[in-house]
Amino acid sequence: MDRLFQNHRIRARQSLEGLWDFGKLRALSIDQLAENIDYNYKLSVPGCWEMHPQLLTYRGQGRYRKSIYIENSAHVRLLFKGVSHTAKVYWDGEQIAEHYNAYTAFDTVIMDVQSGVHELCVEVDNSFGQHSALHLPNDYYTYGGMIRPVIIEILPLQSCSIQWVQFTPIKEDWTTDEEGNWQANVRIALQSHADHDIKGHIQFELSPLQQSTLWKQELPEITLKAGQYLEFAHTFTFSNIQSWSCEHPYLYEWQTLWYQHQSNTIELVDDWVERVGFRTINTYEGKLLLNHQPIVLKGFNRHEDHPMVGASFPIALMVQDLELMIHTGANAVRTSHYPNDERFLDLCDEYGILVWEENHARGLSIEDMRHPQFIEQCEQVNREMVTQHYNHPSIIIWAILNECASDQEEGRVHYQRQLEQIRSLDHSRPLSFASHHRANEICFDLADIVSFNLYPGWYGDEDPGELCDLARQWADQAGGKGKPMIMSEFGADGFYGYRSPNRVKGTEERQADIIESNLKAYTERAYISGMFIWQFCDCRVTEEGIWPMMRARTQNNKGIVDGYRRPKLAYEVVTRYFK
Ligand code: ADA
């Protein structure tokens, strides 16, 4: 399934996980594909096609096919949690949806589906080219396929469905917390699928996990016109609440229920369950405050990549990554450089791991940012990332545009526009971006937290402490004064198993030395609010572009564990500092 808990108990839904037919598509031109396809392969969904022995390096287009049986006529919702990079969805041969970007979800509703067998096809394209501003040859691999879960839902014909629910915990006063008093602002959206007016009411319920309901409230009856979309918001007050923190990641279930009123009956027709946590996150006088207390983030940059599964992680491997991180004493992870699989975020909520989640953009030059679709594609990812992952208490920072052109006026326009866009979608979390522009950075005034990617000891031989103090000065001079500072990347190559007393670059010893000198400097400095090691695990890089020439074994080898999660020497060093 797509979540780690039952996020619907009333709505009928099923995972479309399994073997799908798959055929490569031959491109006749950029927009035209050869029509006749031989479905020569069977591929697992979710999955990356590179895991198939005959498609190990396939970059291009392909079509997936599956037969779907619908028992009774209904509206059908299809939910794709991640198709890499682009998807065109066909139902009985007719195109019904299109989506760009591997790392955010999309859905589509097919109205009035008759009972019987139907054909669902998904055309997937992981090629680079003019259609794509964000997926480029890069220092990580972008796989092909339906890499995250696909879900089918059955929506009753004359009814409405809950579209989304946003839960924002609020605590105005931390001085008198004995009663566990909290508020929450709750926004929801309803969509009628009926062809006439329908009446009903919403009920909200709050329950600690696996326990009976703590609080419930029924809203007054409303009428929805045929096909009407309706959004509304309420603020509620609760007592006896346990707050969510790293040490006690206390989660509640927030249920939203739609009861439909017929002439003499009231029927529970749709539901939406979220797991929520009561916590606040903000910045104050150079500190990052979680529940009003200063916190220092200690963690890793992590690519969703594994030699056995590519970017399509089963839960067991997500748990393994988190356990390895937690064992070092880490309390945070940065989802470099794209929004992550939501099940990983569910796990972070449960484990109390704090998340810096960022949009999908790495190392774009000003020329890349001039791509005609750059604005639209970025804003779409931002909107989908924030609205889809809004309720995760673990996410405490939204970030954008890693190492892009934030040193130029033309680039600044994009930083400003995107940060404003995210603020308009969510004003409850601080914003940041990771910069490598040192003294030339010009966008720190736009963010809430200043963040530096610096590699002392690896790309240069500066002293990490001196460089860090200098970075604080650069930030202060460039509009970042009074803002918390995070070392968002530092690290070094270390080839797993390459050990040598000469400790040359590339040995596990040298990697451990460099990481140690960085960690020593940052943990000693009170003005540092966070540090993210580059990186958790080695990852594959694209064969296109400069990358194979820059990266031995066509991998970024800076993981403190290798691709198979075997710890390098640096792992123990990190454990000493983080613990
Ligand atoms: C960067 C970048 C990472 C990675 C790293 C490195 O600063 O943000 O994606 O490329 O450098 O390994 O050099």
Side-chain angles (χ1 to χ4, degrees):
M1 268 302 198
D2 58 328
R3 303 298 298 271
L4 292 191
F5 61 98
Q6 261 186 297
N7 59 329
H8 293 276
R9 286 159 201 169
I10 302 301
R11 188 184 293 185
R13 67 198 310 261
Q14 211 181 323
S15 161
L16 293 181
E17 180 171 329
L19 268 190
W20 290 47
D21 301 329
F22 178 80
K24 285 184 186 175
L25 278 173
R26 206 162 36 86
L28 298 174
S29 71
I30 290 244
D31 324 293
Q32 215 196 339
L33 295 169
E35 263 313 305
N36 292 330
I37 299 175
D38 293 324
Y39 288 98
N40 293 331
Y41 306 90
K42 296 230 177 266
L43 293 187
S44 83
V45 171
C48 300
W49 65 48
E50 289 83 352
M51 298 305 119
H52 188 286
Q54 270 122 49
L55 300 170
L56 296 168
T57 55
Y58 182 60
R59 196 167 279 292
Q61 298 81 19
R63 188 181 286 170
Y64 288 82
R65 182 178 66 179
K66 177 126 197 124
S67 292
I68 309 274
Y69 178 69
I70 301 292
E71 190 161 347
N72 298 312
S73 308
H75 307 312
V76 169
R77 177 173 181 250
L78 297 170
L79 171 62
F80 298 87
K81 299 291 294 223
V83 178
S84 181
H85 314 164
T86 63
K88 282 187 188 157
V89 182
Y90 299 84
W91 183 261
D92 292 334
E94 197 185 316
Q95 190 180 332
I96 52 165
E98 187 164 0
H99 184 260
Y100 170 76
N101 183 47
Y103 306 111
T104 46
F106 66 99
D107 71 339
T108 178
V109 175
I110 315 149
M111 303 292 282
D112 299 313
V113 175
Q114 300 305 306
S115 65
V117 178
H118 298 268
E119 186 193 67
L120 171 61
C121 288
V122 184
E123 223 163 79
V124 182
D125 182 355
N126 79 336
S127 65
F128 301 121
Q130 264 315 302
H131 57 287
S132 175
L134 307 178
H135 283 281
L136 301 170
N138 223 322
D139 201 6
Y140 59 98
Y141 201 83
T142 51
Y143 292 88
M146 307 222 269
I147 64 172
R148 292 181 186 168
V150 185
I151 306 291
I152 184 166
E153 296 180 344
I154 303 297
L155 311 175
L157 285 175
Q158 297 298 341
S159 181
C160 90
S161 56
I162 300 162
Q163 297 288 103
W164 47 260
V165 175
Q166 283 192 346
F167 182 96
T168 313
I170 306 168
K171 188 150 189 93
E172 304 288 0
D173 179 11
W174 277 98
T175 51
T176 55
D177 189 35
E178 295 89 58
E179 312 298 323
N181 294 332
W182 281 81
Q183 288 188 309
N185 180 264
V186 180
R187 296 179 59 220
I188 79 163
L190 298 176
Q191 173 70 58
S192 162
H193 305 295
D195 57 12
H196 54 73
D197 286 5
I198 50 173
K199 288 183 194 306
H201 73 268
I202 287 286
Q203 179 164 309
F204 292 120
E205 294 186 12
L206 181 74
S207 332
L209 295 194
Q210 277 101 42
Q211 288 180 40
S212 48
T213 310
L214 179 75
W215 173 102
K216 68 169 118 176
Q217 185 148 333
E218 186 179 312
L219 302 185
E221 182 184 87
I222 51 172
T223 301
L224 289 172
K225 302 218 167 305
Q228 187 183 351
Y229 173 81
L230 180 70
E231 274 182 38
F232 53 92
H234 286 271
T235 299
F236 301 109
T237 301
F238 314 100
S239 52
N240 296 317
I241 293 292
Q242 308 233 30
S243 49
W244 185 97
S245 64
C246 297
E247 299 73 30
H248 302 288
Y250 208 92
L251 291 170
Y252 289 83
E253 255 179 24
W254 179 259
Q255 286 198 62
T256 304
L257 305 168
W258 167 251
Y259 285 90
Q260 198 153 315
H261 301 180
Q262 317 290 356
S263 40
N264 287 324
T265 55
I266 293 185
E267 198 191 343
L268 176 54
V269 173
D270 197 27
D271 68 336
W272 188 288
V273 185
E274 288 284 346
R275 280 198 324 198
V276 299
F278 289 84
R279 57 107 188 90
T280 57
I281 182 76
N282 59 299
T283 62
Y284 181 71
E285 294 190 346
K287 299 279 180 212
L288 184 60
L289 304 184
L290 179 71
N291 295 333
H292 214 54
Q293 296 296 321
I295 179 136
V296 177
L297 309 178
K298 293 178 288 181
F300 303 96
N301 289 279
R302 173 178 176 270
H303 269 301
E304 282 179 323
D305 195 13
H306 191 294
M308 298 299 286
V309 296
S312 185
F313 271 60
I315 298 164
L317 291 181
M318 297 182 190
V319 170
Q320 185 183 40
D321 280 4
L322 280 163
E323 290 289 358
L324 281 165
M325 290 186 204
I326 290 165
H327 178 78
T328 67
N331 64 5
V333 62
R334 175 175 174 229
T335 69
S336 49
H337 299 298
Y338 36 78
N340 271 21
D341 188 314
E342 196 160 14
R343 293 168 301 166
F344 185 75
L345 302 172
D346 282 338
L347 287 169
C348 290
D349 292 341
E350 242 174 83
Y351 281 105
I353 291 292
L354 302 169
V355 179
W356 157 320
E357 185 158 74
E358 66 189 25
N359 72 359
H360 180 208
R362 180 206 167 277
L364 303 183
S365 65
I366 197 66
E367 290 75 30
D368 295 328
M369 293 168 88
R370 285 183 194 139
H371 187 289
Q373 268 149 300
F374 170 76
I375 295 181
E376 186 197 317
Q377 292 182 346
C378 272
E379 289 186 354
Q380 181 198 321
V381 178
N382 292 342
R383 188 173 52 251
E384 292 175 343
M385 169 178 80
V386 174
T387 54
Q388 291 166 7
H389 295 167
Y390 189 93
N391 293 323
H392 291 278
S394 57
I395 298 180
I396 54 154
I397 295 170
W398 298 123
I400 59 165
L401 302 177
N402 171 74
E403 292 192 355
C404 299
S406 54
D407 58 335
Q408 297 176 44
E409 285 300 336
E410 191 182 336
R412 183 181 159 89
V413 174
H414 295 293
Y415 277 79
Q416 181 152 19
R417 185 176 163 140
Q418 290 192 31
L419 291 168
E420 278 170 10
Q421 182 205 7
I422 295 184
R423 272 198 193 96
S424 74
L425 296 167
D426 180 6
H427 51 79
S428 72
R429 292 172 168 98
L431 309 186
S432 194
F433 62 90
S435 168
H436 64 317
H437 293 299
R438 300 177 166 226
N440 297 327
E441 176 56 55
I442 60 166
C443 295
F444 281 145
D445 59 316
L446 303 174
D448 303 305
I449 299 168
V450 296
S451 302
F452 285 94
N453 293 354
L454 299 169
Y455 283 81
W458 179 250
Y459 290 123
D461 53 12
E462 293 136 308
D463 172 76
E466 286 167 17
L467 185 61
C468 184
D469 292 339
L470 204 55
R472 182 72 256 184
Q473 287 173 31
W474 295 329
D476 291 350
Q477 286 155 12
K481 206 172 177 59
K483 299 184 181 184
M485 175 166 154
I486 289 179
M487 304 309 281
S488 37
E489 286 182 28
F490 54 95
D493 277 36
F495 299 97
Y496 180 78
Y498 177 32
R499 300 204 184 166
S500 169
N502 64 19
R503 305 181 99 82
V504 292
K505 280 191 173 176
T507 58
E508 286 192 35
E509 287 88 348
R510 181 64 158 268
Q511 180 194 33
D513 292 347
I514 293 174
I515 289 183
E516 170 147 32
S517 63
N518 277 257
L519 286 176
K520 183 167 183 314
Y522 310 145
T523 47
E524 275 169 359
R525 284 168 166 75
Y527 63 78
I528 293 290
S529 292
M531 58 204 83
F532 291 92
I533 293 168
W534 188 271
Q535 59 177 334
F536 172 65
C537 54
D538 293 349
C539 69
R540 185 169 166 180
V541 304
T542 58
E543 267 196 84
E544 296 82 357
I546 52 172
W547 298 103
M549 301 304 114
M550 304 256 295
R551 302 289 183 231
R553 305 188 303 185
T554 322
Q555 283 183 27
N556 186 310
N557 296 290
K558 298 192 185 72
I560 63 143
V561 298
D562 76 346
Y564 291 95
R565 277 49 183 176
R566 294 174 296 190
K568 303 178 190 172
L569 288 178
Y571 185 87
E572 274 318 303
V573 170
V574 176
T575 306
R576 239 185 302 125
Y577 279 84
F578 281 179
K579 277 219 165 112

